[in-house]
Amino acid sequence: MSERAAGVLRFSEERDPAALTQFVQLRVIDPEGAYWLRGIEAATRWLRETGSSELRVPYAYVTPEAWGSAGSHPLGVWVADQRRYYVAGSLEASRVTELEKAGMVWSVHASAWDAGLEVARSYAAVYGHCLPAASVVWESFPLGTWMKNQRAAARKAAENAVRRTAGETGVPYAGELSEARQEALAEIDPGWSPAWEIGWQRCYRLTLAHVKADGVFPVAAGGSELVVQGEDLGAWIIGQRAGWDRLMPAQQYLLETLGIEAPADGEVVVPVRRSQDERWNTNLAAVKQFRDREGHVRVPRKAVETVDGVPFKIGAFLDNARRRAGKLSAERRSELAVLGLEWAVLKGGA
């Protein structure tokens, strides 16, 4: 028993009624509450003493006696307990919030979250949105996959919230994206986790930026003046009008705010597909970007090159071109040869 507690229970001495009431309430009526309060006090002191911004406390760590009321506390065990309660779904939401504000590290993967957030912020600063394709790698970080995982965790959090509101008990918090983290991503891009496919949202945001910059829509799709970050927005707009009835009401509303409307009665809108020439040229540009950066064209089979935020599977592209070299036109073989692909000048490839 601590010296402070012993003093409260020493009946031969005069006692403070308020202190006695607090002791009985916490130690007798609510011992778990006392454990929480002492732990959060010790955690706060540990952060201040170490200068750390994260609660990465060794499991065997016990606070020094010199810390007074926060001294001699098994802080490492306490932090581990909070992680265990969190995974089991029994940690109160208010405590989750308080711990996260203190820099709680829920798992060994928490540092990856911080790294991902910084890369997401960097990507958004360049492209004006944080809606990368799943295969996008930015600053050597798999940002596309990371963002995909955050959206999945956010959806799980929303689904579990509905279950808890409906009265279901024992719903674990594991695998959910906390409100604090969702808010951090929303600060970077409010539309980072749409209810529909991410590619649609990316094209919408690019079209919105085009409109805000006083841009106009092309008369026909495929016009180079509306190819932004690798997305043919002209073709996309026509595709939305052609499939208007398959869109969600919210999507239709967003398009209408841009001046894109449903086809008039009797109007037939045919979606536009990218031509083979367009696909060839965009892949060729991606290969050139790879060569200019790496200084060679020894491209791995699974290599993906991102141009203006759009990923291109240049490894597969070149592999297919090499196998079909004998059937390619002289012009296309010449374009490949100029990039340094010697096999392109050989009949049939080699």
Side-chain angles (χ1 to χ4, degrees):
M1 184 179 297
S2 68
E3 182 178 349
R4 183 180 179 187
V8 172
L9 295 178
R10 196 174 296 121
F11 291 95
S12 60
E13 299 180 5
E14 184 176 353
R15 298 178 299 280
D16 180 357
L20 181 59
T21 299
Q22 183 184 48
F23 176 86
V24 172
Q25 182 177 12
L26 291 177
R27 301 299 179 89
V28 179
I29 299 177
D30 186 16
E32 191 278 331
Y35 182 61
W36 162 259
L37 290 175
R38 191 163 180 229
I40 201 69
E41 180 184 3
T44 302
R45 179 69 180 270
W46 183 86
L47 289 168
R48 185 169 67 249
E49 294 289 340
T50 62
S52 176
S53 61
E54 295 183 333
L55 275 176
R56 294 181 177 273
V57 184
Y59 183 78
Y61 180 81
V62 177
T63 58
E65 292 184 8
W67 285 10
S69 60
S72 301
H73 182 72
L75 182 59
V77 173
W78 181 85
V79 170
D81 283 343
Q82 306 315 307
R83 292 196 185 105
R84 180 162 50 84
Y85 300 151
Y86 177 80
V87 171
S90 59
L91 190 61
E92 297 175 9
S94 60
R95 292 186 178 183
V96 171
T97 300
E98 187 168 0
L99 286 168
E100 289 187 341
K101 287 181 179 179
M104 181 62 167
V105 177
W106 295 115
S107 72
V108 294
H109 303 295
S111 58
W113 157 261
D114 295 328
L117 191 66
E118 286 304 310
V119 176
R121 188 174 288 112
S122 169
Y123 181 91
V126 173
Y127 292 112
H129 63 79
C130 197
L131 301 161
S135 57
V136 166
V137 175
W138 186 254
E139 296 181 355
S140 300
F141 184 86
L143 181 62
T145 299
W146 186 81
M147 288 297 300
K148 180 180 178 180
N149 292 339
Q150 305 316 307
R151 288 191 292 271
R155 286 193 296 271
K156 184 172 184 179
E159 292 167 359
N160 285 351
V162 172
R163 293 168 60 188
R164 297 186 188 102
T165 301
E168 186 175 345
T169 59
V171 181
Y173 287 87
E176 295 184 11
L177 191 66
S178 68
E179 289 187 13
R181 290 187 172 183
Q182 292 186 48
E183 290 172 359
L185 286 168
E187 288 179 2
I188 296 174
D189 183 348
W192 71 276
S193 183
W196 39 77
E197 195 268 326
I198 196 69
W200 192 96
Q201 183 75 357
R202 181 169 52 251
C203 286
Y204 162 73
R205 290 289 296 279
L206 294 174
T207 305
L208 174 62
H210 179 76
V211 171
K212 287 185 175 180
D214 296 326
V216 296
F217 300 142
V219 176
S224 60
E225 72 273 15
L226 204 52
V227 174
V228 182
Q229 294 182 21
E231 298 285 358
D232 187 341
L233 299 184
W236 180 78
I237 291 169
I238 290 180
Q240 302 314 301
R241 299 189 69 230
W244 189 269
D245 292 338
R246 295 191 296 273
L247 298 173
M248 293 182 182
Q251 291 175 297
Q252 294 175 351
Y253 170 77
L254 290 174
L255 291 173
E256 288 170 347
T257 62
L258 299 178
I260 302 169
E261 300 179 343
D265 291 340
E267 180 183 2
V268 178
V269 181
V270 180
V272 176
R273 295 183 180 276
R274 268 192 165 184
S275 67
Q276 289 186 352
D277 285 343
E278 288 177 314
R279 290 195 294 270
W280 173 270
N281 290 333
T282 52
N283 276 288
L284 205 66
V287 174
K288 183 179 184 301
Q289 177 176 284
F290 177 93
R291 184 205 61 181
D292 292 346
R293 183 184 67 252
E294 303 295 334
H296 62 80
V297 283
R298 297 186 297 277
V299 182
R301 177 64 177 79
K302 295 184 178 180
V304 175
E305 185 74 9
T306 300
V307 179
D308 291 336
V310 179
F312 293 91
K313 298 180 180 180
I314 59 173
F317 166 73
L318 290 178
D319 186 60
N320 291 335
R322 184 177 185 277
R323 287 188 286 106
R324 297 174 50 250
K327 298 180 180 180
L328 294 176
S329 66
E331 180 182 0
R332 287 192 173 181
R333 288 204 306 272
S334 175
E335 290 174 332
L336 292 169
V338 168
L339 291 177
L341 295 156
E342 297 180 1
W343 53 260
V345 301
L346 303 177
K347 184 177 180 180

